[in-house]
Every structure is written in C-alpha cells, then in structure tokens.
C-alpha cells in the first residue's frame, strides 16, 4: 500500500447567495483559506485539481491559478456530477500516492442561486414534422411524458421504492428526516439556511415531487470549498501544530454504477454506494459502528433514508427503524448531517464533496464550535452524482 | 403514407399497442434505447422482444414542479411488466397519493399527443389502473 495521505488544510465559503462575485472569486477565496489553514503557500503545492459544472470553461483550474499563483504545476479540470469535489480531492491524493507531488490542492465551486430545477432539460417542441431523434427515436422531449429525469422526482421514486420494499416509510417519515437536518443547521453559521421547521410546516410547504416538498430538497446556492492534502513523508517535516491538526484520510473510494437490470430505467443509487462503503470500511479497517459522525448526500430527504442502509449504518432494510430510534440526531448513536445537510447547508454541486469532508474535519479537530460532536475521532463523508458516481471518504483524527 | 407516429421507437402501434425491448442474445438483459453493446455482458447482438402490457406499480412520484412547458402535476412511475421495469407516466388516475398505491395492477394505454403540420398524429403511452 502506498503511503498515507493527510488533510493539512481545508475550508469552505459561506454557502448561500454571493451576488456580484463570480466562480473565480469564490474558488480563490476557498483556495487561499485552505492554504492559510494548512500553513503553506501556493508555491508549496505540486498539483491542482479544480471542479465546477457551471463555470463554463474547460480550463477553470488555470483561471484560479491566475488569481492565486501561476507556478507551472499540473492542473486537472475535473467533472463528475455531484461527486466532482470528491473526485478532485482524489485526483490530488492519487498524485501524492503516485509520488509525483507532496502537497496537492483541490477546489470545487458552483454558482447556483436561482438555478431552478436541475437534471431536466427544458422542452423544445419544434414546428414542422414529427422527427424521431436520439437513442429512443423520440419525436419530442420525454420529460413529463415518459416519467421524469428531474432530480426531485427521481429521488422521490428511489425513496418510495425503499419504503415499499421494507415498509414504514411514509410522507411524514421523510418530513421528519428534513426536520432533523433543518434543526441541525441552526448551529452552522456557514449554512445557506439556518431555519428550524416543524414537521407540519415541512409537510405543508410547496410540493415539488411527492413526497419531497421544498424543505426536503437540497438548496441550490453559491459556494466553494477547498482542501490541501499532504504526503505522510512531508507531514513529518512540518510543525507540531500542523501535525496535530492534520486529519488522516483512512479511506478514499470512488465507484460507478455496476450493471443492474433496474438501473436501466431508474438510476440505482444503492448498489454503487453500498460497494463504495464496503470498500471504504475495508480500506480504513473501521466498521460503521465506530463512526462518530456521518455527512451523507441528502440531496432529498428520500435519499437520506436509503443511504442509512447503503452506508451500512443499520442492517439491510432497517433504515426506518434506525431513524425512528433517534440514532441520526446530533445526540444519537450515529449523528448524520450535523451540518444541516444539503437540505439546509446547501448544495453548490462541485463544492459539496469537499464541504462534506470539511464538516467532518471540523469535528475531528475539535473546531466545530456550537455543533461540536464531543470526542469525535472518526467520521465518514459521502457524495453521489447521477449517473452515477459515488465518493466515500473515511477520516480520522491524528493520533497525538 | 404514415398517418400515425409513435412517441418513441419502442412503442409499437398496432391493434394491441405494446412496447418492445432490445434483448441481449447472450444474457437476456433488456434495453429500451439503442445500445452499442450489452452493459451487462459486452455482447453486441440483440433480438426484439415484446413486453407484457400489464404490470404492477413498482414506484412513483407525483411531480408538481417541472421545466417550462411540461404540464403538471403528472405521475411519474416505474412499472414492473413481467420482470422488466418500464418507465412511463401513470394516466387516467387522480395525481393524488391516496389514489396511487404501490403494487397496484396497471396496463398499457396510448395517449394522443396531437398532429404535426402534415397532419400526422403522434401517439404516446402511459399506464392506467387495470
Ligand atoms: Zn448481455
């Protein structure tokens, strides 16, 4: 096994609305803050990986360099749906494991305020004759005519499928998952929304795609996150304070969809997540029962339920009982999304993977302030992008 | 002279409108879209198979917010037709969670989509309570 890689510095911007600023501004702010947190400068960095799905440039990383330092290092521009940030981190990590760099910087940013619905193209009915096009030979866009590709509807179906298979998951249960995350967000000053809702408020809010109402959907917002990773060898040469605050990356796993009959018509977010989790636990030598906290990809309340099961936080089919036991509240056995999750912290797509890791690092470094999970030593961060990529990282507090 | 056209090429409009799938000749995996090779086993030859017209509702969502031009609400659904999962709207039913029940029996039906400038009628499909 190649040498260990550590997180030396990490940052996220406030998530929310950033009018008057652009992708480069936010990415630069996050990158400079991560370097400062690491106690190193851009001239120490040997590789840069940058991700953004909305920056509109295939050389976005180089644009960031123009603001924070053009040092001639290799730059990777990364895109992998909602797993883009986690993928960027892995690119930097792999360069270190390959021995090509000792320090790497990964950045993810998105500007999504007011972006509306993601995942479904607008309908474009053209005049003239019906003409079959594309791989289905369709004569008109299929959204709304043959089911849905929109994310709220897709994840609603995924949640109801789980509920139907194992029982116990109704509209109110999904609303109570959102209630938990919004309650947690009140302690996170960087969250886009810090408002507590009652279950009734959540159930009576605007319906987006049953059973997901608006507060049960991830919040489109602007934000960036960045991380500095370091080789074990280089870390040993750094100051005691840098070593004390370093967070060990005990597992870093990326998976894609293995073939499943069902995933041909409805994305299967379960199999690839379960495989990523299994590999991560094996790599880290840590079981799910040892996790002190989890940040998982609650793009919708219905998604959070299935991922309790996929990440093996409970026995297979046991996600409803697991949630009902109170385990995933911040005072429970396995606190989940104490940041507020994507539903309230926000979901600036390419930043999300790194931001989830940032949250875990805050707790492992005992720097999470009012929302600190006492005594946290190990945590898991998960992201999923359709369709389909899944990133899982297991993180551990430094031994000393 | 064609006077009707199907919404998608896997919808066959005859006396008993039905769906067809591309089935892998090696492992029997089924696909509704055109494939270069089988994603399950890499084989590159496919045969055409008819999909049963009846099935059970496997999962759904009632979509209330959609891109411009898409009428809402609609019931997006996945239907299990004799072991093959099919995507399609649930039609001829109230878009109400009290009415739509997982596991309910449904059957394929056609949906008129209007005529183009040459008068060719487009026909889509959906599933209605059986
Ligand atoms: Zn095959």
């Amino acid at each position: 096994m190649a040498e260990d890689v550590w997180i030396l510095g990490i940052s996220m911007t406030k998530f929310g609305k950033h009018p008057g600023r652009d992708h480069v501004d936010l990415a630069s702010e996050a990158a400079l803050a991560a370097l400062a947190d690491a106690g190193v400068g851009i001239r120490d960095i040997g590789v840069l990986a940058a991700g953004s799905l909305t920056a509109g440039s295939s050389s976005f990383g180089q644009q960031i360099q123009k603001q924070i330092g053009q040092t001639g290092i290799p730059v990777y521009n990364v895109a992998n749906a909602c797993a883009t940030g986690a993928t960027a981190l892995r690119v930097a990590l792999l360069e270190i494991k390959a021995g090509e760099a000792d320090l790497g910087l990964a950045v993810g940013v998105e500007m999504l305020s007011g972006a509306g619905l993601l995942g479904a193209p607008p309908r474009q009915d053209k005049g003239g004759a019906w003409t079959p096009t594309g791989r289905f030979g369709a004569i008109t866009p299929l959204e709304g005519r043959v089911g849905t590709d929109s994310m709220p509807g897709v994840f609603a179906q995924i949640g109801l499928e789980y509920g139907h298979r194992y029982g116990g998951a109704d509209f109110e249960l999904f609303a109570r998952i959102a209630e938990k995350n919004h309650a947690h967000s009140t302690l996170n000053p960087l969250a886009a929304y810090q408002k507590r809702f009652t279950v009734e408020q959540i159930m009576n809010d605007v319906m987006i795609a049953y059973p997901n109402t608006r507060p049960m959907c991830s919040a489109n917002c602007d934000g960036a996150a960045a991380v500095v990773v370091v080789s074990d060898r280089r870390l040993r040469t750094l100051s005691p304070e840098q070593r004390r605050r370093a967070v060990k990356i005990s597992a870093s796993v990326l998976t894609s969809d293995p073939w499943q009959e069902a995933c041909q018509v409805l994305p299967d977010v379960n199999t690839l997540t379960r495989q990523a989790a299994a590999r991560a636990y094996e790599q880290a030598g840590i079981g799910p029962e040892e996790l002190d906290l989890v940040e998982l990809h609650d793009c919708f309340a219905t998604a959070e339920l299935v991922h309790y099961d996929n990440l093996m936080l409970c026995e297979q089919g046991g996600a409803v009982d697991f949630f009902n036991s109170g385990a995933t509240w911040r005072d429970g056995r396995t606190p989940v999304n104490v940041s507020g999750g994507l539903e309230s912290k926000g979901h600036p797509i390419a930043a999300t993977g790194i931001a989830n890791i940032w949250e875990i690092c805050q707790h492992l470094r005992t720097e999470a302030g009012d929302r600190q999970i006492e005594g946290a030593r190990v945590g898991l961060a998960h992201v999923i992008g359709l369709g389909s990529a899944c990133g899982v990282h297991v993180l551990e507090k430094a031994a000393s | 002279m064609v006077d009707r056209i199907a919404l998608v090429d896997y919808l066959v409009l005859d006396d008993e409108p039905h769906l067809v799938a591309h089935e892998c000749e090696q492992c029997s995996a089924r696909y509704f879209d055109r494939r270069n090779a089988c994603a399950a086993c890499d084989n590159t030859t496919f045969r055409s198979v008819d999909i049963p017209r009846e099935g059970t509702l496997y999962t759904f969502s009632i979509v209330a917010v959609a891109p411009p031009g898409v009428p809402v609400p609609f019931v997006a659904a996945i239907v299990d037709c004799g072991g093959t999962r099919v995507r399609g709207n649930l039609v001829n039913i109230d878009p109400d969670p009290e009415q739509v029940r997982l596991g309910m029996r449904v059957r394929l039906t056609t949906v008129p989509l209007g005529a183009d400038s040459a008068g060719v009628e487009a026909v889509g499909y959906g599933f209605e309570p059986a």
Side-chain angles (χ1 to χ4, degrees):
Chain A
M1 191 70 184
E3 73 175 324
D4 288 334
V5 177
W6 300 73
I7 289 172
L8 187 64
I10 190 163
S11 75
M12 65 176 271
T13 68
K14 162 87 176 163
F15 281 6
K17 291 188 173 70
H18 291 280
R21 309 187 69 204
D22 64 15
H23 290 82
V24 176
D25 290 324
L26 286 181
S28 299
E29 178 187 327
L32 292 170
L35 290 167
D37 185 56
V40 299
I42 187 68
R43 259 147 242 293
D44 298 308
I45 298 295
V47 58
L48 170 64
S52 176
L53 302 185
T54 56
S57 166
S58 60
S59 56
F60 179 62
Q62 287 85 345
Q63 290 182 27
I64 299 170
Q65 282 186 305
K66 287 182 180 175
Q67 306 305 321
I68 66 170
Q70 289 179 258
T71 57
I73 59 174
V75 174
Y76 296 89
N77 291 288
V78 176
N80 213 3
C82 298
T84 294
T87 306
L89 165 59
R90 273 184 55 74
V91 168
L93 173 146
L94 291 173
E95 280 262 312
I96 291 171
K97 284 201 184 268
E100 295 219 354
D102 277 322
L103 279 152
L105 173 62
V107 188
V109 64
E110 225 68 72
M111 302 280 289
L112 286 172
S113 289
L117 203 60
L118 299 176
R123 172 167 300 206
Q124 292 174 320
D125 282 328
K126 294 179 281 293
W130 299 116
T131 310
T133 56
R135 289 187 167 257
F136 291 106
I139 57 170
T140 186
L142 299 182
E143 176 66 25
R145 294 204 199 279
V146 181
T148 184
D149 274 322
S150 75
M151 292 299 122
V154 166
F155 279 94
Q157 292 175 87
I158 289 166
L160 291 186
E161 174 197 0
Y162 187 93
H164 186 52
R165 183 179 302 170
Y166 298 114
D170 56 13
F171 182 25
E172 186 186 333
L173 179 110
F174 292 118
R176 286 198 287 122
I177 290 175
E179 178 202 21
K180 167 184 73 74
N181 290 352
H182 286 291
H184 286 171
S185 76
T186 61
L187 298 174
N188 184 359
L190 295 188
Y193 301 99
Q194 294 173 253
K195 182 171 183 265
R196 188 161 189 161
F197 293 83
T198 65
V199 175
E200 290 69 31
Q201 284 172 322
I202 291 167
M203 293 175 75
N204 290 322
D205 206 306
V206 177
M207 182 60 72
I208 304 295
Y210 179 87
N212 287 317
T213 63
R214 188 169 50 188
M216 295 155 76
C217 299
S218 52
N220 291 334
C221 67
D222 310 329
V227 56
V228 173
V229 283
V230 64
S231 66
D232 193 58
R233 187 180 51 179
R234 175 65 74 87
L235 180 65
R236 281 181 231 186
T237 69
L238 299 178
S239 72
E241 177 65 1
Q242 283 167 306
R243 294 204 300 275
R244 184 188 67 76
R245 292 181 73 247
V247 170
K248 186 178 176 188
I249 303 178
S250 300
S252 173
V253 175
L254 184 68
T255 56
S256 60
D257 254 357
W259 190 88
Q260 292 276 307
E261 196 277 335
C263 78
Q264 307 308 316
V265 294
L266 179 68
D268 172 21
V269 302
N270 302 320
T271 313
L272 84 168
T273 304
R274 184 162 277 268
Q275 292 187 354
R279 205 176 304 162
Y281 292 132
E282 189 188 334
Q283 248 182 45
I286 281 168
E289 67 288 347
E290 295 172 72
L291 299 173
D292 295 308
L293 75 161
V294 171
E295 286 288 303
L296 64 75
H297 199 76
D298 62 321
C299 48
F300 300 91
T302 47
E304 177 156 328
L305 182 78
V306 304
H307 291 317
Y308 293 154
D309 190 317
N310 294 330
L311 296 173
M312 306 177 207
L313 307 182
C314 58
E315 63 187 41
Q316 202 153 5
V320 171
D321 289 342
F322 180 66
F323 174 74
N324 282 335
S325 77
T328 60
W329 282 79
R330 50 173 295 111
D331 59 357
R333 179 158 57 84
T334 310
V336 172
N337 291 337
V338 297
S339 67
L342 278 52
E343 291 160 58
S344 30
K345 180 177 68 177
H347 183 24
I349 298 173
T352 294
I354 297 174
N356 283 1
I357 288 167
W358 179 86
E359 180 69 23
I360 302 287
C361 288
Q362 294 299 101
H363 294 271
L364 301 184
R365 290 165 151 188
T366 326
E367 295 173 5
D370 291 341
R371 66 185 187 289
Q372 177 70 40
I373 298 298
E374 289 305 323
R377 300 199 58 81
V378 55
L380 180 147
H382 159 255
V383 286
I384 189 162
L386 294 183
S388 291
C390 177
V392 170
H393 286 85
V394 175
L395 304 162
E396 278 185 90
K397 190 183 183 75
S400 57
Chain B
M1 183 63 196
V2 183
D3 58 355
R4 287 198 309 169
I5 186 168
L7 170 63
V8 285
D9 61 14
Y10 62 88
L11 170 62
V12 176
L13 299 174
D14 56 13
D15 292 345
E16 283 214 322
H18 63 282
L19 305 180
V20 293
H22 305 291
E23 184 177 83
C24 172
E25 288 185 355
Q26 182 164 288
C27 78
S28 300
R30 289 178 176 183
Y31 307 97
F32 289 102
D33 55 339
R34 172 167 57 82
R35 295 285 172 128
N36 301 80
C38 176
C41 79
D42 318 337
N43 174 55
T44 56
T45 54
F46 296 88
R47 60 186 161 239
S48 191
V49 292
D50 291 352
I51 301 298
R53 302 175 73 244
E54 287 211 12
T56 56
L57 181 61
Y58 180 72
T59 190
F60 75 99
S61 175
I62 302 168
V63 178
V65 175
V70 177
V72 288
F74 65 91
V75 183
I78 306 292
V79 174
D80 190 313
C81 293
T84 301
R85 304 263 170 82
V86 182
R87 187 160 125 167
N89 288 7
L90 218 55
V91 298
N92 301 334
I93 189 170
D94 282 345
D96 171 358
E98 298 295 312
Q99 302 292 315
V100 182
R101 295 179 331 279
L102 288 171
M104 69 192 284
R105 296 289 299 172
V106 296
R107 66 169 164 253
L108 190 77
T109 187
T110 53
V111 178
L113 299 175
D116 69 7
S117 50
V120 176
E121 295 281 344
V123 180
Y125 72 90
F127 292 91
E128 64 183 4

